[in-house]
Amino acid sequence: MLNDSRLVRPAAVAATLLLASSLVALPACSQTTSSTSSTDTASSSASTAEADSVTFTDDLGREVTVSNPQRVVACMGSFAGAWQLAGGTLVGASDDAFAHYGVDSSAVSGVGRSTALNLESILDLDPDFVIMTGISDGKHSTGVSQEDMESSLDEAGVPLAFFKVTTFADYERMMGIFCQITGRDDLYQKNVTDVKSQIDEDIKTYSVADKAPTVLVVSAYSKGLVVQNSTGMTGAIVKDLGGVNIADENPSLLSDFSLEAAVEADPDYILVLAASDDEATAQKYYEDAVGSDSAWADMTAVKEGRVTMLDAAHFLYKPLDKWAESYEIVGQALSK
């Protein structure tokens, strides 16, 4: 049995920047100096082009300019949630925004699933800014190709930005741009800087770097288990806390995972990511995957009760302003 673990309108941009040559990278929001180390190194930079206009580089390296957008469409639920946390308003969002990020379906129109967007629905909303994912993982493909959607929106004169958000640093970078667009330094402080400070405290509190325990991170799906290395959200948290992800040590596990390989690695801890909102369903996925395998049952982590199911709200979906809670949950699991 697994152990459970439980997610205005903006002011104008302060001043027109003077550009010495081309774009000059800025901290995410002018008043949030406590997080400059991450924003200084971010790949996406933003600058004010003119009053109420912001020019930035998105996560696909595209230069984008937006001018006080009022009709924004977010094509992933987490992006919709992040845009609202930055003080922005939406006219359209993907279906997961309503189910998991508290977006009001009576005020915001649906534009399809994040994995199958409807370009016509997006254009019908007459958007002045569209936010899409730049991650091509086979799941987040649009109803048409991203290239086609980009071309169609460009032809319609609609600014389009792609973001790749997996870790907190990615969220921090994106929110820096969002808050600069909305002019809400106060919301960057609340939803990013303060969260980062709590994460730093959690890392100090729950650090296992002195022991460097080995950890297996797996997602439990209906078809079996899929291993996650430190490039994934949970894997990155494990690494930050000082754990050693066995998928980093044995990359072949990512493409050729087997119960036998996991048993041979014999990790100190096993973290199971729920691939379902329903706890019972997630538990069944895991139990079906490991079955009655006696070797799995004899693993150190299993015998000593160090297998933890991680809930969907904090690990399947991006936790946004609740990201510190995800660190705490993993920290507590690695403290057993």
Side-chain angles (χ1 to χ4, degrees):
M1 180 61 65
L2 302 180
N3 297 312
D4 275 340
S5 54
R6 306 283 183 238
L7 178 340
V8 251
R9 182 51 221 162
V13 178
T16 302
L17 298 179
L18 297 177
L19 301 182
S21 53
S22 57
L23 293 175
V24 179
L26 294 178
C29 291
S30 60
Q31 298 175 4
T32 53
T33 57
S34 61
S35 63
T36 54
S37 60
S38 61
T39 54
D40 284 348
T41 59
S43 61
S44 297
S45 60
S47 63
T48 305
E50 57 185 67
D52 295 330
S53 292
V54 173
T55 295
F56 61 91
T57 302
D58 72 6
D59 288 354
L60 294 187
R62 303 165 62 260
E63 185 177 288
V64 181
T65 298
V66 294
S67 301
N68 192 23
Q70 299 293 308
R71 301 189 60 78
V72 177
V73 176
C75 297
M76 282 193 72
S78 58
F79 294 169
W83 179 250
Q84 290 190 331
L85 287 175
T89 58
L90 296 161
V91 295
S94 54
D95 294 350
D96 53 330
F98 310 112
H100 305 295
Y101 292 94
V103 175
D104 184 359
S105 61
S106 67
V108 179
S109 298
V111 295
R113 301 191 309 277
S114 63
T115 54
L117 296 167
N118 187 310
L119 176 60
E120 183 177 353
S121 295
I122 293 174
L123 290 173
D124 284 347
L125 293 172
D126 191 24
D128 52 13
F129 184 33
V130 175
I131 307 166
M132 290 189 65
T133 179
I135 296 176
S136 299
D137 56 5
K139 294 184 298 181
H140 295 103
S141 58
T142 60
V144 292
S145 71
Q146 289 191 355
E147 292 78 11
D148 287 344
M149 184 165 284
E150 178 178 2
S151 176
S152 297
L153 291 171
D154 282 344
E155 288 177 7
V158 179
L160 167 66
F162 292 93
F163 293 95
K164 299 179 180 182
V165 176
T166 300
T167 66
F168 178 79
D170 298 331
Y171 164 74
E172 181 180 32
R173 180 182 65 249
M174 180 177 70
M175 283 293 286
I177 292 173
F178 285 1
C179 287
Q180 192 165 11
I181 293 171
T182 62
R184 294 298 301 271
D185 291 358
D186 59 322
L187 293 179
Y188 185 87
Q189 176 71 40
K190 175 183 177 182
N191 296 312
V192 181
T193 304
D194 292 349
V195 175
K196 186 176 188 300
S197 295
Q198 185 57 56
I199 288 173
D200 291 341
E201 286 300 313
D202 291 335
I203 291 174
K204 292 178 183 177
T205 300
Y206 296 107
S207 176
V208 293
D210 57 333
K211 299 177 181 177
T214 54
V215 183
L216 172 66
V217 181
V218 293
S219 294
Y221 295 93
S222 57
K223 296 182 179 180
L225 303 179
V226 177
V227 177
Q228 183 183 120
N229 63 12
S230 293
T231 64
M233 188 186 96
T234 305
I237 293 175
V238 168
K239 184 176 182 179
D240 285 347
L241 292 172
V244 177
N245 191 317
I246 66 170
D248 294 340
E249 303 294 309
N250 303 279
S252 62
L253 287 173
L254 297 173
S255 58
D256 191 27
F257 174 77
S258 67
L259 296 182
E260 292 77 11
V263 169
E264 182 178 352
D266 195 25
D268 298 310
Y269 295 88
I270 299 174
L271 303 179
V272 183
L273 307 179
S276 171
D277 292 334
D278 180 69
E279 180 183 322
T281 299
Q283 173 90 22
K284 185 177 186 302
Y285 286 165
Y286 170 75
E287 292 177 349
D288 287 349
V290 300
S292 57
D293 190 287
S294 59
W296 184 274
D298 285 337
M299 293 172 67
T300 301
V302 178
K303 288 192 300 183
E304 298 185 3
R306 295 199 294 267
V307 181
T308 303
M309 177 72 76
L310 303 176
D311 66 282
H314 288 94
F315 298 95
L316 179 59
Y317 308 109
K318 297 298 178 290
L320 305 181
D321 58 327
K322 303 294 191 297
W323 219 296
E325 294 179 7
S326 299
Y327 274 79
E328 291 165 12
I329 291 169
V330 174
Q332 290 167 4
L334 299 184
S335 298
K336 296 177 181 177

